[in-house]
Amino acid sequence: MQRTVFNADHDAFRETVRAFIEAEVVPVYDEWYEAGIVPREFYYKLAELGAFGIEVPEEYGGAGIESFKFQTILIEETARAGVSFGGSGVHVGLCLPYLKNLATEEQKKRWLPGFVSGETMFAIAMTEPGTGSDLAGMRTTAKLSADGTHYVLNGSKTFITGGVHADRVIVCARTAASAAEDRRFGISLFVVDTKAEGYAVGRKLDKLGLKVSDTAELNFTDVKVPVEDLLGEENKGFSYLGQNLPQERLSIAVGSYAQAGAAVRFAKEYTKQRNVFGKPVAHFQNTKFELAACQAEVDAAEAVVDRGLEALDAGTLTAADAASAKLFCTEVAARVIDRCLQLHGGYGFINEYPIARLYADNRVNRIYGGTSEVMKMIIAKDMGL
């Protein structure tokens, strides 16, 4: 069926992105994969493409388009090609909503032009060692100085995507003790300069998948954060985090759907070329049935994603809607990618083939942004259970 969520402008952008990936990413992707990181200068090329400024208001150098659909195209096209832009997805997909919704006019003038140009790459630091999804249990602290000019930040974060290349990091820290009746009280957000004294990037984590994404540990030792870099109101950070989770979870659903579609494409191409017992693997009934079943699941995930995209742009996407989309699409992707790898036989286990990398990359989708178990809790609560 023809998708109806995209128009001619989206189609033109998709063609541009696809050509960009073929020219700028595919030829060097193996080098990135071996190095375990995307070169910092690549982000300037993404900026020239316009990838960072689509949703940024025009007065700060962006295009001023209020729609997530262009970012969706970037997600879909990287999955289609079996490549990644590293941690830059967090820069726009996760960090920009906080800057647009919470930053003061003065802060926007300071940060958004560099955001658009790629001069200032952003990441966000929520998760801490030992707390996982329990953000209310975070122990990183930010204490206001005696003269009231700055906060003193101490603590550590882990699993921070984009953490190596980041120039600014939105750090969640506790500015007040949690109240007995509300563990979520007392968390604030700060836009921290990574060049500040006491700020340190720890290990670049060696992950099962997402090898080119710079995921790191961060450490803060008496880092002075100017009061001008507080994002939003003090002690209200937890509510801000909740407001942006639906978009984050929908973006994971989009990525999962796109990866499942890519897996079918890779398996279809491979089985047409690979001969077994004197004929292509694609000629066997089992292959046809497996790919047909996978395509049906991809079609269903596409419908869920497209419904979510329309709701997000309309401002009606609920937390439960996003959780349902994430749960469904990530589970579909896990099944489809596994079956498509099986159709590759032994070569599906070799990292030289994109299906193997896709298999590893996809696994985290059921973990980050909230585990599948957390998604089920959200959905169940919405059902009145």
Side-chain angles (χ1 to χ4, degrees):
M1 293 181 285
Q2 182 68 35
R3 298 178 80 180
T4 59
V5 294
F6 299 117
N7 59 31
D9 290 339
H10 296 123
D11 294 340
F13 183 67
R14 187 183 296 277
E15 290 180 10
T16 300
V17 170
R18 188 169 296 182
F20 174 84
I21 290 172
E22 288 298 321
E24 300 289 347
V25 182
V26 172
V28 295
Y29 192 70
D30 286 345
E31 297 174 19
W32 295 359
Y33 188 83
E34 289 301 319
I37 197 167
V38 170
R40 176 64 175 83
E41 56 269 22
F42 173 70
Y43 293 147
Y44 295 114
K45 294 183 179 180
L46 276 179
E48 291 175 6
L49 184 69
F52 298 153
I54 294 170
E55 298 175 59
V56 174
E58 293 182 33
E59 58 265 39
Y60 309 112
I65 299 173
E66 292 289 338
S67 173
F68 189 70
K69 292 177 183 178
F70 288 93
Q71 289 304 316
T72 294
I73 290 168
L74 287 165
I75 295 170
E76 291 182 349
E77 289 302 310
T78 50
R80 178 186 179 278
V83 300
S84 166
F85 289 164
S88 65
V90 166
H91 179 69
V92 176
L94 269 65
C95 297
L96 183 56
Y98 290 98
L99 299 178
K100 288 173 62 178
N101 297 333
L102 300 176
T104 64
E105 184 62 24
E106 184 274 333
Q107 289 173 332
K108 289 177 181 178
K109 288 179 178 178
R110 271 199 291 141
W111 297 327
L112 289 180
F115 183 100
V116 173
S117 69
E119 294 286 339
T120 308
M121 295 299 296
F122 280 74
I124 185 166
M126 302 185 220
T127 306
E128 296 183 2
T131 61
S133 297
D134 181 19
L135 296 179
M138 70 175 61
R139 293 186 291 271
T140 295
T141 61
K143 297 182 179 179
L144 188 63
S145 63
D147 61 7
T149 62
H150 62 272
Y151 291 85
V152 180
L153 182 67
N154 283 284
S156 61
K157 300 288 182 177
T158 193
F159 306 144
I160 309 308
T161 303
V164 174
H165 281 325
D167 301 290
R168 288 269 180 174
V169 177
I170 301 173
V171 177
C172 310
R174 186 163 287 288
T175 44
S178 58
E181 65 277 7
D182 184 6
R183 294 179 62 241
R184 301 173 178 181
F185 175 79
I187 293 172
S188 302
L189 307 184
F190 300 90
V191 179
V192 180
D193 186 346
T194 62
K195 298 180 182 64
E197 184 178 353
Y199 180 102
V201 177
R203 292 185 301 153
K204 183 172 76 67
L205 300 174
D206 183 15
K207 308 180 297 297
L208 171 68
L210 301 179
K211 291 292 188 178
V212 303
S213 179
D214 52 319
T215 306
E217 295 174 332
L218 304 179
N219 299 296
F220 320 112
T221 305
D222 294 332
V223 177
K224 293 182 179 179
V225 183
V227 293
E228 293 83 6
D229 290 348
L230 173 68
L231 189 62
E233 295 184 42
E234 191 179 85
N235 298 326
K236 293 188 177 181
F238 197 95
S239 66
Y240 298 147
L241 298 177
Q243 291 168 14
N244 288 309
L245 280 174
Q247 176 174 311
E248 178 184 351
R249 287 166 177 164
L250 180 63
S251 72
I252 296 171
V254 169
S256 300
Y257 147 71
Q259 288 176 326
V264 173
R265 174 174 171 254
F266 296 147
K268 180 180 174 182
E269 292 174 352
Y270 178 81
T271 56
K272 282 184 174 181
Q273 298 167 3
R274 173 69 170 167
N275 285 328
V276 176
F277 304 118
K279 57 183 178 180
V281 175
H283 283 204
F284 292 93
Q285 186 182 63
N286 179 69
T287 304
K288 295 177 182 179
F289 281 7
E290 282 292 283
L291 286 176
C294 287
Q295 184 61 54
E297 291 215 71
V298 171
D299 289 344
E302 180 183 276
V304 169
V305 161
D306 287 357
R307 185 180 69 173
L309 290 174
E310 296 287 30
L312 180 62
D313 277 7
T316 59
L317 183 71
T318 67
D321 291 337
S324 180
K326 181 183 185 294
L327 177 65
F328 180 76
C329 291
T330 55
E331 294 293 336
V332 163
R335 292 192 298 269
V336 167
I337 294 170
D338 183 76
R339 293 164 81 175
C340 288
L341 186 149
Q342 187 73 17
L343 290 172
H344 282 71
Y347 289 103
F349 204 65
I350 305 301
N351 278 331
E352 179 183 340
Y353 286 77
I355 191 68
R357 298 178 183 181
L358 192 60
Y359 183 86
D361 289 350
N362 174 260
R363 185 58 185 89
V364 75
N365 289 340
R366 287 176 283 163
I367 299 173
Y368 69 1
T371 63
S372 293
E373 290 72 26
V374 170
M375 297 304 99
K376 292 174 183 177
M377 291 171 60
I378 294 169
I379 297 165
K381 183 178 180 180
D382 186 67
M383 295 169 64
L385 298 174

